[in-house]
Amino acid sequence: MLKLLRNSRVPRTHLPRCSRLWYISRPYSTPTASADTSIADPRTFQLHPSLIKRARLLSEELTALQEKISGGSSFSVSDQKRFSELSIITDTYTKYQDHLTNFQELQELFHDEQEPELKNEAEKELRELQPELTAVASDLKAKLLPPHPFDSMACILELRPGVGGDEAAIFSKDMLEMYSQFAHVKKWPYHIMSQVRTENNGITSATISIDEPGSYKLMKFERGIHRVQRIPETETKGRTHTSTAAVVVLPKISEDNENPDADQREFKPEEIRVDVMRSRGKGGQHVNTTDSAVRITHFPSGIVVAMQDERSQHRNKAKAFAILRARLAERERAEKVENERKMRTSQVSSTDRSDKIRTYNFTQNRITDHRCGFSLHDVGGCMNGTRLEEIILAVEKNYNEERSKELLEIEENSDKK
Amino acid sequence: MPRIPPSVFRQALRTDPLLVPLLPVTRSLSGAQAELRWLRKEVPKPKLPWAIVQRSNYRPLQYILGDQPFLDLSIKCAEGTLIPRWETEEWIARIKPFISNVKIIDACTGTGCVALSFNGTGSNIVGIDIDTSCLSLAKFNQQSNRCDDIVHWAQCDILNWTDDLHHVCKGVNFLVSNPPYIPWEEYTKLDRSVKNFEPQLALVGDLEFYNALVHNLLEPNLNTCDGFVFEVGNVNQIHHVRDLVKKHGWNVGYLMDSAGYHRCVVGWKPDGRFDFKKLCDFVY
């Protein structure tokens, strides 16, 4: 066994000197598998120099900030926030460095031919340390990636049935329940902003607002087309149908209870039109209508938002503006991403563009996410919100890997130029 | 009024049988669905059939549920008091940013919704109404919404100039009112839910109320009062108020509501603390 190990070790001299590929840690599937068979090269865990540089810069910023705060000259919430963010990253970085040096020292002992007893000990410790190091390395990498601009925000989910008629509407309803249950399990405050029911207890559209700041970070992976394969309640002959539901995730830019007039003032009057239901007769004291529907049209983007769930027109307007701003922000972000992508010569596959993202196969009791190939064999557990997080986390991990890869490619391209 | 097609009734029956009695009142399926949803949410289940029967007899939903959201407030509504309208909500939201630290008189306050909406501007607010039951409802609303600005209530008839009225209005800076403004000829043609359930006292009136507001409330306090906003029902009433205050050199304009009707007449002193020029949709 040991002999095999020794032979499999790549002699340092044979390594190409500045091959960047060696610095990229391998995709997340490797550590547990390789832990049993071989001891990895420490360079596998080394991060890309640009990431290390970023980590150093951040820890320098932390020291500067620390001095500023301890000086007591000024206190601001944003400083405090930044401080806690930085200290989390720096902690991970120090932990990572400790582990790495430890690992390298053990490796040297392991390859030291003179002392065979130490060698066994070292091997044992190496085996223990390896998965830990992998975890810390990937953790650090995720933290060092530039954060998504909306990650710290609350979010709004819009659900709409796709192909599949009644069954799609019923599945959308199930999805709505799944997300509310998920928010419940996570102890996130949420409320259903609007829903339009169909005759068969399905929905034609629904909006759910998850009010926890930072929920966008996880929920953003839910955007896309969700496919369901099952025997619908409406099916009489026992055939399996395939239908879809579309989910749009928007960052929550403004609160619902903010003043809609302040919102309205933010837009130019010619950009926006607010329609209300024209009541019969002359309005005012003449009519005591309960129809409080509001529709906002934003001309530059062609976005139309209608809201009719609240009894007060004022609140409907506030909600509609919240959704409008969220949609505009999301569109702006998507355009920015698209531009960045166009600028790059090499097209990289990413999570953002895939349309069908997940399949819920009820007959096989399986949920598969097509972006990372992760399968969960517990449809019930997912639909009641308890195990949805597992899937989302797998997607997130995959997303982080891909982003760091993209980042490296950009760096390499700019190096070549 | 156009007849509701039978197909809509059939569709309502298929969706939810409880929608059918609501349909003639709301006159649209989406309206009936919304009302049924609110009824289900707020009426306890044993009382739901009663509530639906009440509603199908054209009783206003706000009286059945007992309240109406108004800006950030929840206003209790009871028979004998006018239900707050969304048009009022709209113009108050527009005007509120202009107001701070003044003495406000709200004449014909009803549920008190107008007066209470100015809570938070640091103002001294007085709500006036002729009806004592309205005033007790207004007091209730003040407590249930925890309004911490200084709000007082006074029982006065603004149509007759009395010492009481004079005393209450002394030193007013800003005058608001939603007086009864439906002429008698129009009142007879109103919807059943308004005519049969809401108080005639709060609905029927015309120019005499604007005369009273100007002569009894505004003119005795011309040196302190810097502006007013009165809700109106038609453009005649705007012209009438304009002619009354133009002789004092005041600026006059009006506001439209989102449905496109003339809704408020606004007046302000040229060198006073308010400049409503930006607020108005039209300035004379």
Side-chain angles (χ1 to χ4, degrees), chain A residues 195-199 257 259 261 265 274-292 308-315 317, chain B residues 14-15 35 37-38 42 60-61 65 67-69 71-73 85-87 89 93 178-182 186 190-191 193-194 198 202-203 258-259 261 263:
Chain A
Q195 57 172 328
V196 184
R197 293 285 189 115
T198 64
E199 289 168 28
N257 51 11
N259 187 1
D261 289 277
R265 263 178 266 125
V274 181
D275 296 314
V276 299
M277 282 311 283
R278 252 175 177 274
S279 42
R280 298 185 299 278
K282 292 183 162 181
Q285 292 172 2
H286 296 77
V287 195
N288 59 14
T289 179
T290 55
D291 203 338
S292 49
Q308 56 180 29
D309 270 44
E310 293 280 334
R311 277 169 62 208
S312 150
Q313 204 161 65
H314 183 76
R315 282 179 202 174
K317 215 195 245 180
Chain B
R14 269 204 310 275
T15 316
E35 291 205 355
R37 196 174 59 237
W38 295 322
E42 293 181 28
L61 185 77
L65 300 180
D67 68 338
Q68 167 69 22
L71 297 177
D72 304 326
L73 311 169
R85 304 293 202 254
W86 66 263
E87 286 93 341
E89 193 176 14
N178 181 10
Y181 54 65
I182 303 179
E186 287 177 25
L190 287 186
D191 277 4
S193 66
V194 180
E198 294 197 82
L203 291 166
S258 308
Y261 295 109
R263 193 48 64 208

Side-chain angles (χ1 to χ4, degrees), chain A residues 146-296:
Chain A
H148 192 285
F150 301 143
D151 266 355
S152 59
M153 291 187 182
C155 65
I156 298 171
L157 270 73
E158 291 183 333
L159 296 156
R160 238 170 252 282
V163 290
D166 282 350
E167 160 66 357
I170 292 169
F171 179 60
S172 306
K173 175 84 196 352
D174 294 344
M175 298 269 297
L176 178 68
E177 249 148 52
M178 175 173 87
Y179 290 127
S180 1
Q181 286 297 319
F182 177 62
H184 189 74
V185 169
K186 295 282 286 179
K187 296 197 171 67
W188 286 346
Y190 69 94
H191 65 274
I192 292 169
M193 290 176 88
S194 73
Q195 57 172 328
V196 184
R197 293 285 189 115
T198 64
E199 289 168 28
N200 294 323
N201 205 17
I203 49 171
T204 49
S205 76
T207 316
I208 175 171
S209 162
I210 298 181
D211 304 325
E212 174 82 12
S215 58
Y216 185 81
K217 187 167 184 269
L218 279 187
M219 299 317 285
K220 66 170 180 268
F221 299 112
E222 292 300 295
R223 59 174 287 170
I225 305 290
H226 296 241
R227 182 173 71 170
V228 63
Q229 290 170 323
R230 65 176 174 190
I231 303 165
E233 292 161 35
T234 48
E235 167 69 41
T236 45
K237 291 180 183 135
R239 291 171 294 198
T240 302
H241 287 216
T242 301
S243 5
T244 60
V247 179
V248 176
V249 184
L250 305 168
K252 201 168 179 189
I253 305 290
S254 64
E255 292 299 313
D256 317 332
N257 51 11
E258 257 178 49
N259 187 1
D261 289 277
D263 284 347
Q264 196 167 346
R265 263 178 266 125
E266 256 173 51
F267 295 99
K268 288 179 199 146
E270 64 268 20
E271 278 184 357
I272 209 140
R273 193 179 74 209
V274 181
D275 296 314
V276 299
M277 282 311 283
R278 252 175 177 274
S279 42
R280 298 185 299 278
K282 292 183 162 181
Q285 292 172 2
H286 296 77
V287 195
N288 59 14
T289 179
T290 55
D291 203 338
S292 49
V294 172
R295 190 178 61 196
I296 300 177

Side-chain angles (χ1 to χ4, degrees), chain A residues 20 75 112 115 164 171 197 243 266 274 286 316 321 360:
Chain A
R20 281 241 155 85
F75 174 85
D112 199 348
E115 297 185 69
F171 179 60
R197 293 285 189 115
S243 5
E266 256 173 51
V274 181
H286 296 77
N316 273 336
F321 268 111
Y360 301 71

Side-chain angles (χ1 to χ4, degrees), chain B residues 4 15 17 75-76 86 94 103 112-113 124 133 144 156 162 206 282:
Chain B
I4 304 167
T15 316
I75 297 290
K76 186 185 170 192
W86 66 263
R94 284 171 70 180
K103 177 170 177 178
C113 59
N124 179 359
S133 66
S144 68
C156 293
T162 55
D206 203 354
F282 184 82

